[in-house]
Amino acid sequence: MDIIKTACDLIAIRSETGRQKECIEVLEYAKNLFKNSGAETELFTPENIAPVIYLANTKEEMLDVLILGHLDVVPGADSLFKPYVKDGILHGRGSLDMKSFAAVAFNSLEYVLENELPIKFGIILSTDEEKGSHGTHAFLEAHPGLMSKIVLDNDVGGDIQKLVTKCKNPVFVKIMAKGNAAHGSTPWDGIDANELLMQTLANIRKIYPYYSQNGNKPQNQWIDTVHVAIMNGGEVSNIIAENAEAVLDFRLTETSTVENLKKNLDACMVPGVTYKISSESTPVVMDENNPHILDYKHFAEQILGKEIEFEHIGGATDSRAFAVKGSIVIMHSGSGEGMHGANEWADVSSILKLAEIQIKFLEKLAAGSERK
């Protein structure tokens, strides 16, 4: 497979999250790549939920290896959907997040099929990862028996020389303040919901400090953090706000619990302010001494000619749905910068080397399977 051509074809399809026509188009493109190949394909299109594609070399639901990812992208200018390669760099929306690495997954499946590797291999790609992965959740609910011993997660783009072994638990919290409206000239006649909200946020900051690029930075970055994602209150400038609310994005390490977060939030609320947990997940934590992870690391170092570092990241991963079932999750992708930005790019060499690493790893698994 010409991986870079495939990546360019994927990038050229404007599959922004929510653009149903283009999302179906990009999945149909993926399906057609394996026409007459013997692959099992399912285009999952539940009503009112973003579609998902499943590709595999087997009808069985217990897989040896699964690659999990997505083909939707964040919005961008028209020019970003005209991919091009210059000086070894692939430019375009989705080059890093994560159409290049979806192309790598397709290449791996093609290799498994053409070489008849004795492993059960599959791919799941969603089209709403950028807005919650509801399609992936719906697909897994529709296929409760689908399991995989190993999950290759290519959606951690940034540096091919780093292998991610920990991801934090994202917990989203909505804070709601209720005040009493009054004219802005007589604030003593009302209760300002904005003030109540700010007092609560100030209490939260006593437990979870504010960090920024030009301010306070922690020496140890594997800590619980929170940022104020959305905040609003009031309707007109001369009326004391009756209602105010904020959405907070907490990222918790594996040593923290949602129950402890709730205790902290309970202590931070001022009269008139309440909260609710909008969503919570689970951290993904892998044993760096796991034999499969060490095998993968060995092949990566062999192909790159450099030592690979283990890394911990604050971002979440859809592979947590399999991690909680006991899957070994290997989080690794190619190099690039500008994710979600106006100058998104991926290093072509890293894309091709990632493909080499996956093939070597799959060959090793297949050799082990043949010996059994």
Side-chain angles (χ1 to χ4, degrees):
M1 178 177 290
D2 186 334
I3 296 172
I4 302 307
K5 179 185 181 302
T6 301
C8 287
D9 289 347
L10 294 170
I11 293 169
I13 301 172
R14 194 171 191 142
S15 53
E16 295 174 355
T17 315
R19 292 179 68 126
Q20 187 78 353
K21 178 177 176 293
E22 289 83 355
C23 286
I24 290 290
E25 182 183 350
V26 78
L27 297 185
E28 289 284 3
Y29 174 90
K31 183 178 179 180
N32 288 334
L33 284 175
F34 295 94
K35 188 176 181 180
N36 302 321
S37 69
E40 298 292 325
T41 63
E42 179 184 351
L43 192 55
F44 182 69
T45 55
E47 189 174 356
N48 300 321
I49 299 178
V52 174
I53 193 166
Y54 176 63
L55 306 162
N57 72 332
T58 178
K59 291 183 179 180
E60 295 185 36
E61 290 194 307
M62 184 62 210
L63 303 176
D64 296 305
V65 184
L66 172 73
I67 295 182
L68 192 65
H70 64 98
L71 285 171
D72 61 312
V73 296
V74 298
D78 293 347
S79 60
L80 289 173
F81 298 92
K82 298 174 182 177
Y84 66 94
V85 176
K86 183 178 180 181
D87 298 328
I89 299 298
L90 172 59
H91 298 266
R93 174 62 78 232
S95 54
L96 183 62
D97 185 24
M98 57 160 285
K99 289 183 173 180
S100 296
F101 312 129
V104 169
F106 297 148
N107 180 73
S108 293
L109 177 56
E110 181 183 79
Y111 187 89
V112 169
L113 288 164
E114 290 184 350
N115 293 274
E116 298 182 351
L117 294 189
I119 56 174
K120 296 183 283 293
F121 180 86
I123 300 171
I124 298 174
L125 295 170
S126 67
T127 55
D128 69 341
E129 188 272 346
E130 301 294 356
K131 291 189 176 179
S133 298
H134 302 293
T136 299
H137 300 324
F139 177 82
L140 294 177
E141 286 177 4
H143 299 78
L146 185 63
M147 296 281 291
S148 184
K149 296 175 185 175
I150 298 170
V151 173
L152 299 180
D153 186 347
N154 296 343
D155 192 21
V156 287
D159 191 344
I160 197 170
Q161 289 180 232
K162 293 183 179 178
L163 191 60
V164 177
T165 53
K166 288 185 182 182
C167 290
K168 292 182 181 178
N169 177 11
V171 182
F172 292 89
V173 177
K174 187 174 184 179
I175 309 289
M176 299 154 289
K178 178 68 175 177
N180 289 321
H183 196 275
S185 64
T186 56
W188 44 82
D189 289 334
I191 299 175
D192 192 339
N194 287 333
E195 288 289 340
L196 299 180
L197 180 61
M198 288 189 289
Q199 290 170 24
T200 300
L201 293 177
N203 289 339
I204 291 172
R205 280 292 177 217
K206 293 174 184 176
I207 303 173
Y208 304 95
Y210 171 62
Y211 301 108
S212 70
Q213 184 180 36
N214 59 356
N216 185 25
K217 295 181 184 179
Q219 281 191 325
N220 172 23
Q221 296 184 5
W222 194 246
I223 56 173
D224 296 343
T225 63
V226 63
H227 86 273
V228 182
I230 303 169
M231 185 165 61
N232 58 69
E235 296 180 3
V236 293
S237 59
N238 63 345
I239 299 294
I240 300 296
E242 187 172 13
N243 296 287
E245 63 182 38
V247 175
L248 307 187
D249 174 5
F250 287 88
R251 302 292 168 133
L252 307 181
T253 70
E254 77 280 11
T255 58
S256 299
T257 65
V258 175
E259 285 306 310
N260 189 63
L261 172 63
K262 289 178 180 177
K263 290 179 182 178
N264 289 339
L265 290 173
D266 289 340
C268 291
M269 296 298 112
V270 301
V273 181
T274 58
Y275 72 89
K276 69 175 182 178
I277 306 290
S278 302
S279 67
E280 60 182 278
S281 185
T282 183
V284 175
V285 180
M286 292 292 116
D287 179 2
E288 295 175 358
N289 292 311
N290 179 276
H292 291 301
I293 291 177
L294 290 178
D295 278 345
Y296 186 98
K297 183 174 183 286
H298 167 73
F299 290 127
E301 291 176 335
Q302 188 179 69
I303 289 167
L304 295 173
K306 298 177 181 178
E307 187 175 348
I308 295 294
E309 299 177 7
F310 287 123
E311 182 181 31
H312 306 161
I313 64 172
T317 170
D318 283 346
S319 59
R320 62 186 180 272
F322 288 91
V324 297
K325 296 179 181 181
S327 297
I328 299 160
V329 180
I330 301 176
M331 297 172 274
H332 188 228
S333 64
S335 300
E337 290 184 4
M339 187 182 294
H340 295 185
N343 185 33
E344 183 177 356
W345 60 267
D347 180 82
V348 169
S349 174
S350 77
I351 298 168
L352 299 178
K353 287 186 182 300
L354 180 68
E356 285 186 64
I357 295 164
Q358 283 194 5
I359 294 301
K360 284 286 188 183
F361 181 69
L362 294 173
E363 287 177 335
K364 173 72 182 293
L365 290 174
S369 177
E370 287 175 335
R371 287 195 296 268
K372 290 180 181 179

Short mmCIF file of all heavy atoms in Angstrom, two decimals, residues 214-238:
data_model
loop_
_atom_site.label_atom_id
_atom_site.label_comp_id
_atom_site.label_asym_id
_atom_site.label_seq_id
_atom_site.Cartn_x
_atom_site.Cartn_y
_atom_site.Cartn_z
N ASN A 214 2.98 31.14 30.74
CA ASN A 214 3.76 32.30 31.21
C ASN A 214 3.64 32.52 32.71
O ASN A 214 3.87 33.61 33.21
CB ASN A 214 3.31 33.56 30.46
CG ASN A 214 1.84 33.86 30.66
OD1 ASN A 214 1.13 33.08 31.29
ND2 ASN A 214 1.37 34.96 30.13
N GLY A 215 3.25 31.46 33.41
CA GLY A 215 3.09 31.61 34.85
C GLY A 215 3.65 30.42 35.61
O GLY A 215 4.75 29.94 35.33
N ASN A 216 2.88 29.94 36.53
CA ASN A 216 3.31 28.84 37.39
C ASN A 216 3.33 27.52 36.61
O ASN A 216 2.38 27.18 35.92
CB ASN A 216 2.33 28.74 38.57
CG ASN A 216 2.76 27.70 39.57
OD1 ASN A 216 3.94 27.38 39.68
ND2 ASN A 216 1.79 27.17 40.30
N LYS A 217 4.43 26.78 36.72
CA LYS A 217 4.55 25.47 36.07
C LYS A 217 5.02 24.45 37.10
O LYS A 217 5.97 24.72 37.84
CB LYS A 217 5.55 25.51 34.91
CG LYS A 217 5.13 26.41 33.76
CD LYS A 217 6.18 26.36 32.65
CE LYS A 217 5.83 27.33 31.54
NZ LYS A 217 6.86 27.31 30.46
N PRO A 218 4.39 23.29 37.15
CA PRO A 218 4.81 22.28 38.14
C PRO A 218 6.07 21.54 37.68
O PRO A 218 6.24 21.28 36.48
CB PRO A 218 3.62 21.34 38.20
CG PRO A 218 3.03 21.42 36.82
CD PRO A 218 3.24 22.85 36.36
N GLN A 219 6.93 21.23 38.61
CA GLN A 219 8.10 20.41 38.26
C GLN A 219 7.68 19.01 37.87
O GLN A 219 8.14 18.45 36.89
CB GLN A 219 9.08 20.36 39.44
CG GLN A 219 9.94 21.60 39.59
CD GLN A 219 11.05 21.39 40.59
OE1 GLN A 219 10.89 20.69 41.59
NE2 GLN A 219 12.20 22.00 40.33
N ASN A 220 6.78 18.45 38.66
CA ASN A 220 6.21 17.14 38.36
C ASN A 220 4.87 17.35 37.66
O ASN A 220 3.92 17.85 38.26
CB ASN A 220 6.01 16.33 39.64
CG ASN A 220 5.24 15.04 39.39
OD1 ASN A 220 5.23 14.53 38.28
ND2 ASN A 220 4.61 14.52 40.43
N GLN A 221 4.80 17.00 36.39
CA GLN A 221 3.59 17.26 35.63
C GLN A 221 2.59 16.10 35.70
O GLN A 221 1.50 16.21 35.14
CB GLN A 221 3.94 17.57 34.17
CG GLN A 221 4.76 18.85 34.05
CD GLN A 221 5.04 19.25 32.62
OE1 GLN A 221 4.56 18.63 31.68
NE2 GLN A 221 5.82 20.29 32.44
N TRP A 222 2.95 15.02 36.39
CA TRP A 222 1.99 13.93 36.55
C TRP A 222 1.19 14.19 37.82
O TRP A 222 1.33 13.53 38.85
CB TRP A 222 2.70 12.58 36.60
CG TRP A 222 1.74 11.44 36.43
CD1 TRP A 222 1.41 10.50 37.35
CD2 TRP A 222 0.96 11.15 35.27
NE1 TRP A 222 0.46 9.63 36.84
CE2 TRP A 222 0.17 10.01 35.56
CE3 TRP A 222 0.84 11.75 34.01
CZ2 TRP A 222 -0.72 9.45 34.63
CZ3 TRP A 222 -0.04 11.19 33.08
CH2 TRP A 222 -0.80 10.06 33.40
N ILE A 223 0.31 15.19 37.74
CA ILE A 223 -0.50 15.64 38.86
C ILE A 223 -1.92 15.90 38.38
O ILE A 223 -2.17 16.00 37.17
CB ILE A 223 0.06 16.94 39.49
CG1 ILE A 223 0.18 18.03 38.41
CG2 ILE A 223 1.41 16.69 40.16
CD1 ILE A 223 0.57 19.38 38.94
N ASP A 224 -2.85 16.02 39.31
CA ASP A 224 -4.22 16.39 38.96
C ASP A 224 -4.25 17.85 38.53
O ASP A 224 -3.63 18.72 39.18
CB ASP A 224 -5.15 16.21 40.17
CG ASP A 224 -5.26 14.75 40.61
OD1 ASP A 224 -4.90 13.87 39.81
OD2 ASP A 224 -5.69 14.52 41.75
N THR A 225 -4.99 18.13 37.47
CA THR A 225 -5.13 19.51 37.00
C THR A 225 -6.59 19.81 36.67
O THR A 225 -7.41 18.89 36.54
CB THR A 225 -4.29 19.77 35.73
OG1 THR A 225 -4.77 18.92 34.66
CG2 THR A 225 -2.81 19.49 35.97
N VAL A 226 -6.89 21.09 36.54
CA VAL A 226 -8.21 21.51 36.08
C VAL A 226 -8.07 22.81 35.31
O VAL A 226 -7.23 23.65 35.64
CB VAL A 226 -9.20 21.70 37.26
CG1 VAL A 226 -8.76 22.80 38.20
CG2 VAL A 226 -10.61 21.98 36.74
N HIS A 227 -8.85 22.95 34.26
CA HIS A 227 -8.95 24.25 33.61
C HIS A 227 -10.43 24.60 33.43
O HIS A 227 -11.29 23.70 33.34
CB HIS A 227 -8.20 24.29 32.26
CG HIS A 227 -8.99 23.80 31.09
ND1 HIS A 227 -9.06 22.48 30.72
CD2 HIS A 227 -9.74 24.48 30.19
CE1 HIS A 227 -9.82 22.37 29.64
NE2 HIS A 227 -10.25 23.56 29.31
N VAL A 228 -10.71 25.90 33.44
CA VAL A 228 -12.08 26.38 33.26
C VAL A 228 -12.34 26.42 31.76
O VAL A 228 -11.87 27.30 31.05
CB VAL A 228 -12.27 27.77 33.89
CG1 VAL A 228 -13.72 28.22 33.73
CG2 VAL A 228 -11.89 27.74 35.36
N ALA A 229 -13.11 25.45 31.27
CA ALA A 229 -13.33 25.31 29.84
C ALA A 229 -14.36 26.31 29.31
O ALA A 229 -14.18 26.91 28.25
CB ALA A 229 -13.77 23.89 29.52
N ILE A 230 -15.45 26.48 30.06
CA ILE A 230 -16.53 27.39 29.65
C ILE A 230 -17.03 28.11 30.89
O ILE A 230 -17.17 27.50 31.95
CB ILE A 230 -17.71 26.62 29.00
CG1 ILE A 230 -17.22 25.78 27.80
CG2 ILE A 230 -18.81 27.57 28.57
CD1 ILE A 230 -18.27 24.81 27.29
N MET A 231 -17.32 29.41 30.75
CA MET A 231 -17.87 30.15 31.88
C MET A 231 -18.79 31.24 31.35
O MET A 231 -18.43 31.98 30.42
CB MET A 231 -16.74 30.78 32.71
CG MET A 231 -17.21 31.47 33.98
SD MET A 231 -15.85 31.80 35.14
CE MET A 231 -14.81 32.89 34.17
N ASN A 232 -19.98 31.34 31.91
CA ASN A 232 -20.90 32.41 31.51
C ASN A 232 -21.88 32.72 32.62
O ASN A 232 -22.13 31.88 33.50
CB ASN A 232 -21.65 32.04 30.22
CG ASN A 232 -22.45 30.76 30.36
OD1 ASN A 232 -23.44 30.70 31.08
ND2 ASN A 232 -22.02 29.70 29.66
N GLY A 233 -22.42 33.92 32.60
CA GLY A 233 -23.38 34.35 33.60
C GLY A 233 -23.91 35.72 33.27
O GLY A 233 -23.20 36.57 32.73
N GLY A 234 -25.18 35.97 33.60
CA GLY A 234 -25.79 37.26 33.32
C GLY A 234 -26.32 37.36 31.91
O GLY A 234 -25.94 36.59 31.03
N GLU A 235 -27.23 38.34 31.73
CA GLU A 235 -27.84 38.52 30.42
C GLU A 235 -27.65 39.93 29.87
O GLU A 235 -27.44 40.11 28.68
CB GLU A 235 -29.34 38.20 30.49
CG GLU A 235 -29.61 36.73 30.84
CD GLU A 235 -31.09 36.41 30.90
OE1 GLU A 235 -31.91 37.31 30.61
OE2 GLU A 235 -31.43 35.26 31.22
N VAL A 236 -27.72 40.94 30.75
CA VAL A 236 -27.51 42.33 30.32
C VAL A 236 -26.59 43.01 31.30
O VAL A 236 -26.41 42.57 32.45
CB VAL A 236 -28.84 43.10 30.21
CG1 VAL A 236 -29.70 42.55 29.09
CG2 VAL A 236 -29.60 43.06 31.52
N SER A 237 -25.98 44.12 30.88
CA SER A 237 -24.92 44.74 31.67
C SER A 237 -25.40 45.42 32.94
O SER A 237 -24.62 45.57 33.89
CB SER A 237 -24.16 45.76 30.81
OG SER A 237 -25.05 46.76 30.33
N ASN A 238 -26.65 45.84 33.01
CA ASN A 238 -27.08 46.60 34.18
C ASN A 238 -27.99 45.80 35.13
O ASN A 238 -28.70 46.37 35.95
CB ASN A 238 -27.79 47.88 33.75
CG ASN A 238 -29.08 47.61 32.95
OD1 ASN A 238 -29.30 46.50 32.49
ND2 ASN A 238 -29.90 48.64 32.80
#
